[in-house]
Amino acid sequence: MLTGSKSSFKIKQFAPEFKIPEKGMNSTNRNGQSKELYGFQCLPGEFVLQRAPLVKRQDAGGTMLKGQLFCTTFRVVFVPERDQKTEADSSDPVFLRDQDIVLASIERVVAGNPLKTKIITPSSHLKFVPEELIIYCKDLRIIHFQFERMTSDLQAIEITLTIARTYQPVKPGAPYAFQKSIFGNSEMKQLLSNRVPDSLMNWFEGSQEWERELLRTGATGWRVSSVNDRFEMAPSLQKFNVVPKQILDNDLKKTFAHFSDGRIPRWCWHHPGGSDLLRMATFQNNMYHEKDDIRHLEALLFGCHPQCVIVDLGDELPTPMDIQAAHSRLRTLCLGDIPALVSPSDEKWLSALEMTKWLDHVRSCLKKSIEVCCLLSDGHLTVILQESEDRDLSCVVSSLVQLMCDPHSRTLSGFQSLVQKEWAVAGHRFLNRFNYSGDNEKEESPVFLLFLDCVWQLLKQFPSYFEITEDYLVAVHDSTYIPIFNTFLANCQRERARRIQHTSQSYTPVNGWYDVVNRQIVLSSAGCPLPSVWDWALQCSPKRRAQFCHPGYTSNHWINRCSDLPSFHKSDASSSSLGPIMMFAKGSLTTPSQILPWRSTTSYRWGHRKTSSIESLPGLDWVLKSYKKSETPKNIQGLEQNPPVTYQCESFQALVPLLCGPYICLWRSCYLRGSQELQCFLHTSSHPCLELLASEVDQLRCKLEKALKQQLTSTGAVENCNNSNNSETSVECINEKIMKERRICTDYANDHQIISGTCDLQHVKIPVHQGNNAQLFSSQR
Amino acid sequence: MRYCSQEVLAERGRSVLLCIAGAAPARHWLDSGALAMEYIRTPKVENVRLIDRVSTRKAPLGTLYLTATHIIFVENASEARKETWVLYSQICTMEKQPTTATGCPLLIRCKNFQVILFIIPQEKDCHDVYISLIRLSRPEKYEELYCFSFNPKIDKEQREQAWNFLDLKAEYNRMGVPNSLWQLTTVNRDYGVCDTYPTEIYVPKSATPPIIVGSSKFRSRGRFPALSYYNQGNHASICRSSQPLSGFSARCLEDEQMLQAIMKANPGSEFMYVVDTRPKLNAMANRAAGKGYENEDNYSNIKFQFIGIENIHVMRNSLQKMLEVCELKSPSMGDFLWGLENSGWLKHIKAILDAGIFIAKAVAEEAISVLVHCSDGWDRTAQVCSVASLLLDPFYRTLKGFMVLIEKDWVSFGHKFTHRYNHLDGDPKEVSPVIDQFIECVWQLMEQFPCAFEYNERFLIHVHNHIYSCQYGNLMCNSQKEREEMRIRERTHSLWAYMWENRVDYMNPLYRPDHSQTQGVLRPITTPYYFKFWRGMYNRFEKGMHPRQSAVDFLMAIREETQQLQEEFEAQEEKIAKLEKVQMKNGKLLPKPKGRVKHFCPSTSDNSIANTPQDYVSGSVCTFPNESPLQQLDMENSLLILTKETLKCSDPDLSANSDQESGVADLSCRSPSGGDSLPSEDSVKDPDSDEATYVAA
């Protein structure tokens, strides 16, 4: 299966259409073979292009690991020598082993020997024998391989060139070779169609899933409309939209035209205090507003509340272009000047970090989200996020708001559902923003990565409120660079649906094609079902997946509470007492006259409360005023403890992060992974200690159960033994403590990136009943 | 976070306050107190507002008292009566701001980075307070300092014991000196050779008194090379001195012999390092003043090295700049990062750490002795020597070891505490955060090696606090000699013994003495992005700025609680064992339980569940005895009862924890209760029902 002739020093230039050497390959037994042959399992349709034995990889901790290096049509695989026996053969083919490098995620290939380093491009020739191969990945990993003296020069050269020539598509915009060969493979299709979607997650693809969300959050007065069922009303919008009950589909249809791209105000979340969060695009100008239309539009805006605040996401947040610029500066800072090794100039590290503006952007997103949280906490408002396209920063803000306020979204399945709801289904242009094909730099912007960073900041400040861990966020971060996921390879639900339907063009949307740019990829992979990114079993080993959940997180204390919450308002939006529509921008509420385009053109009169000013909202006013008084958000935190509204429910207090200088930090374990020093210092970090903790806990749990029984048998037998209660009590208490302790340990360990094994904390013991632990942390607030 | 001053003052009792609150002057005050009272123009101002920079809470109204030693602000809000105590010695600067409609603002900046803004309604009162505080915060004589009036009510004997808590002689013995290569010299017995050195100094055996005296005459202020740290393993040592008076060409035979002797005291080594911690330019400038640095040509077998730590003036300004950044009301990310970088503070910390690493490497890896000096050898030299010792020797990473380190490298070798930390009204140019930087270096190391230090951040903060508080005598005066003249040991109390008593508060729950990282030499990384801003120190009084989840505090509290509960658990087990005995004797076993007892009999003796954490560590992780599989039925039974109990018992427990701040304190003062002290109500009420469940099952 090895290609390239062994006699010549230069290997042949690969043909643009990468020819896969299929000579005599029997696809049925290939997997087994490759496993035996190479020590790893090829995917259906994946082929080894080149291999080099006796390669060393720098391992975490700085030690060198010996093994074989492979380059396949899909990835670069390193198989350590001693590793070959392991990996219990599961029937699930894992797409990626934990250290594999997907070709498409490679940013640059650098070959070097003591005298020379050179960036190897697909067209370059190697005039020296490399001793070292450095692969810079887009996800900011830097991986070093060393060729031993025993590796033949030829092999070293060939594998280097092979990687260099295959890691990017032949021409910008062309699909990757593997996309067709692997995902077009019938075996793979079969395999993917057998994958069962995570039932814990809400995928927001069907109407009942939206119903479920309405039920979960306890929102009333809303219904799921299927008017956009065939994406005819708004091609970029989701199939099912949640709108106020009193608007009929017929009336609803007329409202689409009033919003840019038909992205009407639609419900996304219900705050337990009563308010609702909506999002929409900007109003379509130059429309003639009929009186009836206006009525419906306003009904849409007000939703179920007599008051409505539009939050403008334009001015104070970075634009996607800003984000892209900041991110590329951050990359340069963290990766260093390729191929020079990472060395942010010593003196100027902080100012260089500042210059990237990345942290500023993180901060402004968090700040805006906090403000929205404040508005929502008022309890009787409709808060509408408005962005010109409603496909970028409104995704960030609406999901951050939910992370801050809704404990469910901090669980693993909740977080994934959240991303489904606010990003994938809502039509964030993942495909364009990540620019996988590399042909659309104008649109490229890692808005989603900015969001992940914001989540990390929250996680860092409130570790015990999250079920997801830093490892999980890093995994999500990395997976965005692997162009095989359905989730990221589409710009909206419509595109995704098309791929699944296997139909190339069964209907033409009324409004015409909107996303023409990416037709190529969409079409080329049409008919190939792609996996969802949330199917973690495909890309992560069980070992790695075990790190995704915080071992100490308990969620049961709140889940059922949503519906129990008293609803604070049950007002009929149809009543005529609608308040003014307010605009929230730059930290203050205003009622500008030009908010609604139709207002100036129509004689429509507001309800009798037209003149009411902000004072009609004493609570809200207070929140905002005190917020303004000192811009630091901690004040809000203080306020949250005594909310102005009568409503108070402990478990729904928002997590309000601190935004002052020292608290917004760089996500080092993600962005600085590449730095060598960090790699040896931190990469092993929390993993072994978490594993160790988990195993300890299991052992101790067994012991505890046994000990308890022992006591019961002995004490229970005694006729008059009041003590039994005591002993159980104490055992229970110990458990409680231990559980808490363990959680804190892991937080602390994560926080400090403790090196392997340091965290086998002596005092970590037995968790059995987790019920009340969460209260400890919620009561801190 | 507890305020140190409050903590300590609690010992004095509240009588002081009550006395003043009752408007009766505190006559029975100690001498120094009486001294202080003279300067108090107005002992009490009412209707003062205390403005918290970061809190939006309505500024509390209260009464301001000036006592002999503290400013005390008592809030009027009746139920809480929250008090804020500030020691005069902590006051760094004061600023009377322009009068506004609400009153006259008085801004007080403290040395421990607290910033307080009082709004005093009357201009005259404000002025009086201001004038009083100016005098009170700048005492002119040692006698006015707090430590001479501080009386924690312990008898003379205890006080002496406390002073003997640390013994430097024992410390040198621990290092392995005196030995065949190093000896104790008596040359400075009466401070005749060097008045800023201690009396007991270790020098190479071959350095005879004439050599020492000769060398001292060639060194600035007579601070001749003396032993600071001796590495028993390979005989390499760290010595310290001041700069030589070499000027452009002067040389001194004895000094050269002295260095030769130090090198020779490390048999097998062919050279030694002489480390000048100053930037080269500064050292060159000193040559013009007849000082300077060693000429490699004159000394045989030395390797000379500049390190480039800036002088005290640069450091003072740097801290000032950083504090300005901290005080910004709502800095943008850019303000903060630029400000932090422009202050250069982290760069200076890095320089000190780098110097320490250089020396530690030379001693541990190359086995080469090092002589360290700066100008006078009491600031940068102390920093660098102590950082190097800390990196080299795990002992200094223990609580007691750290105290010893401060005593050895700072106190005994004449670090000028009084001048540097402005204890007395003096030259502001002498003030500089020298030891602050050392403490921050330790903190940065703790961040990199969380398991290597026995003490925690709070310990460092409290030590820092006491450097400025003047409450204890240890960190006072400019030299050993001065301390003796002031009879510090007789007239004041020792900090270390006090901190040792409270060591529970200062333990790092993650400390692992047996961990590979903990043992041996620490090799920190000093890439710039490893240096963090220490918000726990510089923003420590801004509660609003503290994260809501302090892992360490919880870890400590829970650890303690776990221990208590385990004790209870053990007590319970003993009881059960007793009961079982009785049961056996009576032979009155119910048929069913009998079977069970039998079944579990072999494992009854194994009470490993109650292992203390320590036991657990000593054994390896996986040494749990193999348990026999459990019977399903039994398991269900036990769980049934268990869940019931959980609901009952855990609630009171958690409520005790409800407040983050007080929760921790609560736990630490809760005494370990015996087995009988558990909530008895439940246990009285429930046995029947429990048993019923049990029997039913």
Side-chain angles (χ1 to χ4, degrees), chain A residues 508-526:
Chain A
T508 313
V510 172
N511 292 357
W513 287 105
Y514 201 75
D515 302 290
V516 196
V517 197
N518 302 287
R519 204 162 12 165
Q520 197 176 11
I521 284 201
V522 175
L523 291 180
S524 70
S525 46

Side-chain angles (χ1 to χ4, degrees), chain B residues 217-473:
Chain B
K217 286 191 175 134
F218 189 64
R219 294 271 165 184
S220 174
R221 296 176 199 265
R223 293 169 70 90
F224 58 89
L227 183 71
S228 165
Y229 179 75
Y230 177 73
N231 195 347
Q232 222 167 345
N234 58 17
H235 306 294
S237 61
I238 303 174
C239 295
R240 55 185 288 173
S241 70
S242 60
Q243 61 185 339
L245 304 174
S246 51
F248 289 100
S249 59
R251 50 189 295 189
C252 165
L253 192 63
E254 287 93 342
D255 195 56
E256 286 157 28
Q257 284 172 336
M258 186 75 192
L259 263 63
Q260 188 69 13
I262 292 171
M263 197 202 83
K264 284 275 153 59
N266 181 7
S269 69
E270 283 169 2
F271 66 95
M272 68 179 288
Y273 284 113
V274 175
V275 171
D276 190 329
T277 56
R278 297 169 291 183
K280 189 169 183 184
L281 214 65
N282 299 17
M284 306 259 275
N286 264 303
R287 274 174 34 177
K291 298 164 188 173
Y293 52 93
E294 290 83 354
N295 185 341
E296 272 189 8
D297 300 339
N298 296 343
Y299 293 82
S300 49
N301 307 319
I302 66 163
K303 281 194 181 170
F304 192 83
Q305 180 81 31
F306 284 112
I307 290 214
I309 302 173
E310 298 290 347
N311 63 25
I312 57 169
H313 311 296
V314 175
M315 300 303 189
R316 182 178 54 239
N317 293 336
S318 171
L319 178 67
Q320 191 52 44
K321 277 188 200 160
M322 187 177 67
L323 291 179
E324 278 163 22
V325 175
C326 295
E327 273 191 52
L328 289 176
K329 262 221 149 163
S330 54
S332 71
M333 240 20 241
D335 293 340
F336 178 73
L337 292 173
W338 277 101
L340 190 58
E341 179 168 288
N342 288 339
S343 76
W345 181 256
L346 293 178
K347 189 179 77 186
H348 298 314
I349 298 292
K350 173 176 151 61
I352 296 165
L353 208 51
D354 277 332
I357 291 168
F358 175 84
I359 293 165
K361 228 175 174 172
V363 169
E365 284 168 19
E366 300 176 57
I368 300 295
S369 295
V370 184
L371 172 68
V372 187
H373 70 72
C374 47
S375 296
D376 288 318
W378 52 40
D379 292 322
R380 284 168 275 198
T381 304
Q383 287 174 337
V384 169
C385 287
S386 45
V387 167
S389 306
L390 198 76
L391 293 172
L392 282 167
D393 197 332
F395 173 69
Y396 298 123
R397 292 172 232 142
T398 63
L399 193 64
K400 195 167 179 184
F402 186 81
M403 298 173 179
V404 167
L405 185 64
I406 297 270
E407 279 290 326
K408 171 173 77 84
D409 277 332
W410 296 82
V411 177
S412 81
F413 275 105
H415 178 65
K416 300 202 292 177
F417 282 95
T418 302
H419 285 163
R420 294 289 175 261
Y421 311 117
N422 212 6
H423 291 163
L424 297 180
D425 192 21
D427 182 1
K429 285 233 166 80
E430 283 280 318
V431 180
S432 185
V434 181
I435 201 165
D436 307 46
Q437 287 183 316
F438 165 64
I439 289 174
E440 179 159 343
C441 282
V442 180
W443 180 80
Q444 300 281 3
L445 287 172
M446 276 163 63
E447 287 289 294
Q448 278 196 39
F449 303 97
C451 299
F453 291 83
E454 191 188 30
Y455 39 88
N456 59 16
E457 183 183 8
R458 179 178 295 157
F459 175 67
L460 296 183
I461 290 176
H462 283 193
V463 168
H464 179 268
N465 193 68
H466 282 297
I467 287 163
Y468 291 97
S469 74
C470 301
Q471 190 171 357
Y472 293 91

Side-chain angles (χ1 to χ4, degrees), chain A residues 342 344 346-351 353-355 359-360 363 461-465 626 629-632 634-635 637 656-658 660-664 668 672 675 677-678 681 696 699-700 703-719 721-723 725-734 736-738 740-741 744-745 748 752 754-758 760-766 769 772 775-777 779-780, chain B residues 54-56 329-334 336-338 340-341 346-347 350 447-448 450-451 509-512 515 517 525 527-530 532-533 535 539 544-549 551-552 554-555 558-559 561-562 565-566 569 572-573 575-576 579-580 583 588 593 596-597 600 603-604 608-609 611 613 616-617 621 624 627 630 634-635 638-639 641-643 645-646 649-650 653-654 657-658 660 675 678-679 683 686-687 690-691 694:
Chain A
V342 183
D346 275 18
E347 309 276 298
K348 295 291 172 199
W349 163 253
L350 287 173
S351 53
L353 179 62
E354 201 279 318
M355 294 280 270
L359 293 181
D360 275 318
R363 185 166 133 139
Q461 290 195 30
F462 303 92
S464 68
Y465 292 94
S626 47
K629 199 168 112 196
S630 139
E631 296 247 309
T632 35
K634 50 202 163 259
N635 305 320
Q637 206 268 329
V656 180
L658 297 166
C660 36
Y663 284 92
I664 301 294
R668 298 200 305 173
L672 289 174
S675 153
E677 287 174 332
L678 266 160
F681 186 66
E696 273 178 56
Q699 284 173 322
L700 287 160
K703 270 178 60 183
L704 179 84
E705 276 165 10
K706 198 186 148 228
L708 276 175
K709 202 154 329 123
Q710 205 177 300
Q711 282 186 7
L712 285 176
T713 46
S714 48
T715 52
V718 184
E719 278 180 355
C721 62
N722 295 343
N723 289 316
N725 290 323
N726 283 351
S727 359
E728 283 155 28
T729 313
S730 56
V731 171
E732 265 316 302
C733 293
I734 293 170
E736 293 285 330
K737 301 300 155 267
I738 284 156
K740 285 178 231 154
E741 201 170 332
I744 291 159
C745 295
Y748 193 78
H752 286 266
I754 296 168
I755 298 187
S756 56
T758 45
D760 43 338
L761 292 156
Q762 54 270 47
H763 29 266
V764 174
K765 291 237 161 165
I766 322 134
H769 292 278
N772 289 299
Q775 281 181 12
L776 173 82
F777 283 95
S779 58
Q780 284 167 41
Chain B
V54 289
S55 156
T56 41
K329 262 221 149 163
S330 54
S332 71
M333 240 20 241
F336 178 73
L337 292 173
W338 277 101
L340 190 58
E341 179 168 288
L346 293 178
K347 189 179 77 186
K350 173 176 151 61
E447 287 289 294
Q448 278 196 39
C451 299
L510 291 175
Y511 177 56
R512 290 283 313 273
H515 191 263
Q517 196 188 60
I525 300 169
T527 324
Y529 44 76
Y530 274 97
K532 301 180 187 164
F533 172 73
R535 56 183 185 227
N539 285 332
M545 300 253 301
H546 290 262
R548 252 104 341 117
Q549 295 201 307
V552 180
F554 274 97
L555 204 51
I558 286 166
R559 190 182 182 182
E561 211 176 346
T562 309
L565 285 162
Q566 274 172 344
F569 183 76
Q572 291 299 333
E573 274 207 328
K575 271 194 185 168
I576 291 165
L579 283 165
E580 259 179 324
Q583 192 183 349
K588 270 169 141 189
R596 281 190 199 142
V597 171
F600 285 106
S603 47
T604 314
S608 49
I609 182 63
N611 269 351
Y616 185 47
V617 182
V621 182
F624 301 118
E627 316 284 1
L630 305 163
D634 288 358
M635 194 126 110
S638 62
L639 288 178
I641 299 169
L642 249 172
T643 28
E645 278 306 311
T646 325
C649 73
S650 47
D653 226 29
L654 287 164
N657 251 334
S658 61
Q660 188 194 2
L678 271 163
S683 48
D686 285 320
D690 268 351
E691 207 158 27
Y694 181 76

Side-chain angles (χ1 to χ4, degrees), chain A residues 210-225:
Chain A
W210 283 98
E211 301 274 8
R212 207 168 103 200
E213 181 74 351
L214 284 171
L215 204 65
R216 184 187 75 81
T217 53
T220 51
W222 301 89
R223 69 183 183 91
V224 181
S225 159

Side-chain angles (χ1 to χ4, degrees), chain A residues 502-562:
Chain A
H502 297 254
T503 50
S504 49
Q505 219 163 344
S506 63
Y507 58 87
T508 313
V510 172
N511 292 357
W513 287 105
Y514 201 75
D515 302 290
V516 196
V517 197
N518 302 287
R519 204 162 12 165
Q520 197 176 11
I521 284 201
V522 175
L523 291 180
S524 70
S525 46
C528 310
L530 294 175
S532 159
V533 69
W534 311 127
D535 197 349
W536 291 107
L538 291 179
Q539 48 168 328
C540 295
S541 65
K543 195 174 140 198
R544 191 157 174 223
R545 272 179 282 142
Q547 319 293 345
F548 285 178
C549 287
H550 198 306
Y553 179 82
T554 50
S555 57
N556 47 14
H557 69 290
W558 69 271
I559 281 175
N560 299 322
R561 255 198 240 176
C562 277

